[in-house]
Amino acid sequence: MILPFHCVLHCDRKGSSSLIVAASGDSIYSFAASTGSLLSSWSQSEVSSRTVHQAHNYGSGSADHEAACTERPIKRRKLSGSGEVSDSTSAEIVIDNDTKKPRRRKVKVAPISAVISIIVNSTGKHIVAVTAEDKCIRVLEVLADGKLQQISERHMPKRPCSVTFTTDESMLLCADKFGDVYALPFFEPFNDKKDGTNEQPMRFDQPKEEAKSKPFVPAATALTVHTKRNQQALKNQQNATGKTSEKKSLEFTHQLLLGHVSLLTDLAYVTVLVAGSISPSTRSYLLTSDRDEHIRISRGLPQAHIIEGYCLGHTEFVSKLCVPPWDHNSLLSGGGDDYLLVWNWLSSEVQQRVELKPLVAGLGKKIYQEPRRNIERPIIATGTGSIAVTGIWAIRTPGGQEDKHKGYIIVACERVPALVIYSWHENGTVEHHETLEVEGNVLDVATIPTQMSILYTIDSMENFSSTTDDQLRYQLPRLGSFCYSSAARSWIKDSPVQESVDGINEWAAKQGSTAPDLELGSSIMRAYLYGTEKLRKRGQDED
């Protein structure tokens, strides 16, 4: 277990015991929330290996097998950081063709397809996981014993950056880095009749019959091209005459909802009551943010192509959106600016500007205990550097609890080993409550509203408040927790799930002591864990 838990969520299953689900690399682990014991693990590489094994053991001599052997080979997908690999396997055998050296076989291991996001539905029975390298959205079923079983996978044309549910959880909304938002059914419909006839599933966009593509004919001729370079380019185009380009459609039910001209970063789906209506009615909206400081307000399905307005107020990229569950008319947004903005997004008005950078810049130093010495390391120098918001979460205050706050907002920033807590007052204003220093760089947060607790994951493979130093000499925990104390009116370490957290950390430490060194995986994971700051545009006066 060299890699940290970079995603975590609390799975509150109706009628069953709760789970803590965490992702590390290309694997997802489920733990019992009461004891912290490991219940199940799912790995993308194991699924791929199992698929390849089944393909190799396919019955030879059958008609299907002969047809499979005569089919065109699987297209090879290029993965970042290495060469090309097949869609069905994570490694390829390469023969060294150097005649001066003896022929030998070497294996190129493809980068891990890391799980970059996991979400759970309201019943706690299904988990949606997004893997980066293969651009895949997977739906996993949580069985009664806590085991994870994959039931579907859909490969998107571009790498997804954010996924969420619609209000009724019948659809999945996927935003990709190309700027598009797709709608997918939560469960892929299919029809497999016993008589052997299969019907195509109903699609939002029915694919048209593929027309024969016309051969490419260059517009230029030898009479219109004179320079040597352009003549060579024309010659290359004439040599390519007759070739047709094929553009394959996605082989699953989908609908393209909208598109941005910039890189998408986050999205949220909100349903609000319609004001002024005679009978109670609701209307849904789709909120999307991008790298160009925009927050777009679009109508919900099926009219997502209609833009209702924009929330403009940021001067840097917007990386995260958060709609509090107790006030769907409000929106919190953050990104590369030194502050957060609280919006009335229906009117596109800024309600409050909340300062963030001074709260993380003045943390000072924190002392970490080692067996034989103390270590002091500065977190961030006051007034220097920039911040990038990596997550905004909301947790509602229980109704029976004596507290003047409706809920709390939790904010995490890249390379900052702290959580900034804001309180949400009944009048709709946000106020800084406290800043919680933790053991390492915060990667993800999960809320447990029923216990008024939060879980957070720590980057255990990097040095304190750094992304370039060597691995720590002392063992950092992978997971931590806080609980709100109504008596102290602050967040404390003594949470109801602390025993489970200790059990998970103990298990992870044992796995780390026996796991092989994954240098390739670690280097790739750094790009996923610390990619928010790279959204910042660099001006001419910057390096």
Side-chain angles (χ1 to χ4, degrees), residues 192-416:
D192 190 4
K193 294 186 177 181
K194 294 182 179 180
D195 58 1
T197 60
N198 294 330
E199 296 183 358
Q200 292 293 334
M202 292 295 294
R203 297 174 182 262
F204 299 107
D205 298 326
Q206 291 290 343
K208 299 179 181 179
E209 295 183 0
E210 295 185 1
K212 294 183 178 180
S213 302
K214 296 182 180 180
F216 171 75
V217 178
T221 64
L223 300 177
T224 59
V225 175
H226 305 287
T227 64
K228 184 177 180 180
R229 178 179 298 178
N230 291 343
Q231 289 176 354
Q232 182 61 37
L234 176 61
K235 185 178 180 180
N236 295 337
Q237 293 179 3
Q238 291 173 344
N239 293 336
T241 301
K243 297 182 179 180
T244 58
S245 59
E246 297 181 359
K247 185 177 181 181
K248 296 183 179 180
S249 60
L250 298 179
E251 298 179 352
F252 51 83
T253 307
H254 69 282
Q255 182 183 14
L256 178 62
L257 299 180
L258 56 88
H260 281 230
V261 296
S262 181
L263 188 150
L264 271 177
T265 56
D266 202 6
L267 81 164
Y269 198 79
V270 190
T271 299
V272 296
L273 293 173
V274 179
S277 59
I278 300 176
S279 60
S281 60
T282 60
R283 180 175 296 175
S284 298
Y285 295 88
L286 179 58
L287 284 58
T288 52
S289 61
D290 61 26
R291 188 187 181 189
D292 287 342
E293 310 97 33
H294 299 151
I295 301 175
R296 181 194 293 186
I297 311 299
S298 307
R299 290 188 183 179
L301 275 64
Q303 297 180 319
H305 59 281
I306 300 178
I307 301 175
E308 291 287 341
Y310 288 89
C311 294
L312 305 178
H314 286 277
T315 59
E316 293 287 350
F317 62 88
V318 183
S319 58
K320 288 298 175 181
L321 303 175
C322 177
V323 178
W326 56 83
D327 187 0
H328 286 180
N329 293 327
S330 297
L331 168 71
L332 283 94
S333 61
D337 293 308
D338 298 341
Y339 51 85
L340 305 175
L341 291 180
V342 182
W343 302 85
N344 181 345
W345 57 268
L346 285 171
S347 60
S348 301
E349 296 179 354
V350 177
Q351 300 296 314
Q352 186 180 359
R353 169 171 164 162
V354 184
E355 296 299 328
L356 178 61
K357 184 177 179 179
L359 303 177
V360 298
L363 292 179
K365 297 183 178 180
K366 187 174 179 66
I367 299 178
Y368 288 88
Q369 298 293 334
E370 280 193 90
R372 297 183 180 179
R373 59 174 178 169
N374 293 336
I375 293 182
E376 292 187 3
R377 298 181 185 274
I379 293 180
I380 181 173
T382 304
T384 61
S386 56
I387 61 173
V389 176
T390 57
I392 306 176
W393 301 268
I395 181 171
R396 184 199 297 265
T397 304
Q401 187 170 341
E402 295 182 1
D403 199 320
K404 63 179 180 180
H405 306 138
K406 280 191 173 183
Y408 292 88
I409 305 297
I410 304 135
V411 181
C413 299
E414 190 171 86
R415 296 180 299 169
V416 175

